[in-house]
Amino acid sequence: EGMLAVACGQDPSVLEMIGKEVPLVLVDRFYEESSLSYVTTNNFKGGYDATRLLIEAGHRRIACIQGALDSMPNRERVRGFMKAMGEEGLTEYARLAGDEFSVQNGYLSAKLLLFGKEPPTAIFALSNNIMLGTLKAIRESDLSVPEDISLISFDDNLYMDYLTPSITRVGQPVENMAKLAVKILLEHLDHNGTVSASSQIRLLPSIIPGNSVANA
């Protein structure tokens, strides 16, 4: 009678067609030009706040290892990163690398950054998988977090508190996203099973402190 979907790709037409027949709510990912209902995190604010944290710790050469280029959360996180860097006149120091939400992407991208000209003093990994690859590359380079390089991640996971050091990260309100998506879906169903007006909601992320960020 209803459907929850985590969308992928850039064309919403199939989902919009389904949404005309069955109440449909997107979770996490959405389409800017579509009227489909969704619940997501404010990824722009998460990217912005994490970058501001690094800047306020004195970092200037900050690298951002991103995920899938066509992913809406990724694009919004990058936009937040660039906005924060631009506000401080640091656009020329901003480094973007990577192209997928994987451990391997984090590892290879970090290797290139660390052995390049003027390596970064801080890295912002846009997912926990990217962070794990980045951390491995840093350690293989005989560098320490946060003494030699600071590291911050997007996405929360309990294991991050048990790494050495614990990882500072942007937490998404995943449980509230799920509950709210179901609530919206149920509200979309009236006694005839027709679809009511759409709801498009972005929940606020939070910075979860660890020990992986130090003053530059």
Side-chain angles (χ1 to χ4, degrees):
E1 295 178 351
M3 184 182 296
L4 298 176
V6 179
C8 62
Q10 301 184 64
D11 184 1
S13 58
V14 172
L15 289 171
E16 288 177 337
M17 182 173 61
I18 294 171
K20 292 178 181 178
E21 304 297 329
V22 178
L24 173 66
V25 180
L26 303 181
V27 182
D28 185 36
R29 302 185 181 192
F30 66 97
Y31 299 97
E32 286 183 308
E33 304 301 324
S34 175
S35 62
L36 288 170
S37 295
Y38 65 77
V39 182
T40 186
T41 302
N42 189 326
N43 288 282
F44 168 81
K45 180 170 175 54
Y48 179 87
D49 289 349
T51 308
R52 287 294 316 173
L53 187 151
L54 293 172
I55 291 172
E56 289 167 6
H59 294 280
R60 295 295 179 266
R61 297 198 310 274
I62 303 173
C64 174
I65 303 181
Q66 61 181 329
L69 304 185
D70 63 351
S71 161
M72 172 61 69
N74 182 77
R75 294 202 302 269
E76 286 293 284
R77 294 168 193 178
V78 169
R79 191 167 69 87
F81 167 71
M82 294 304 299
K83 172 72 172 177
M85 295 293 282
E87 285 181 349
E88 296 297 323
L90 300 174
T91 302
E92 65 179 297
Y93 298 108
R95 299 286 300 278
L96 273 177
D99 58 7
E100 62 180 28
F101 291 109
S102 70
V103 174
Q104 183 183 45
N105 175 51
Y107 177 78
L108 296 177
S109 297
K111 281 285 191 181
L112 291 172
L113 289 166
L114 294 173
F115 285 95
K117 184 180 180 180
E118 295 187 329
T121 63
I123 294 179
F124 180 16
L126 294 196
S127 79
N128 51 9
N129 283 336
I130 294 173
M131 180 276 299
L132 285 174
T134 301
L135 188 60
K136 177 177 172 62
I138 291 172
R139 288 174 172 170
E140 285 185 358
S141 304
D142 292 326
L143 298 173
S144 297
V145 176
E147 291 80 8
D148 300 312
I149 186 166
S150 289
L151 178 62
I152 191 167
S153 177
F154 211 108
D155 286 335
D156 182 25
N157 196 297
L158 182 61
Y159 73 79
M160 293 186 181
D161 286 328
Y162 294 90
L163 295 175
T164 304
S166 59
I167 304 298
T168 301
R169 67 266 193 190
V170 180
Q172 301 192 70
V174 176
E175 185 174 345
N176 286 339
M177 286 169 60
K179 289 180 177 179
L180 191 54
V182 173
K183 183 175 176 62
I184 293 170
L185 183 61
L186 293 175
E187 290 181 348
H188 278 3
L189 290 163
D190 63 17
H191 65 282
N192 291 320
T194 55
V195 182
S196 64
S198 67
S199 299
Q200 299 181 336
I201 299 174
R202 304 187 194 195
L203 300 179
L204 291 177
S206 59
I207 298 291
I208 300 173
N211 297 313
S212 62
V213 175
N215 291 332

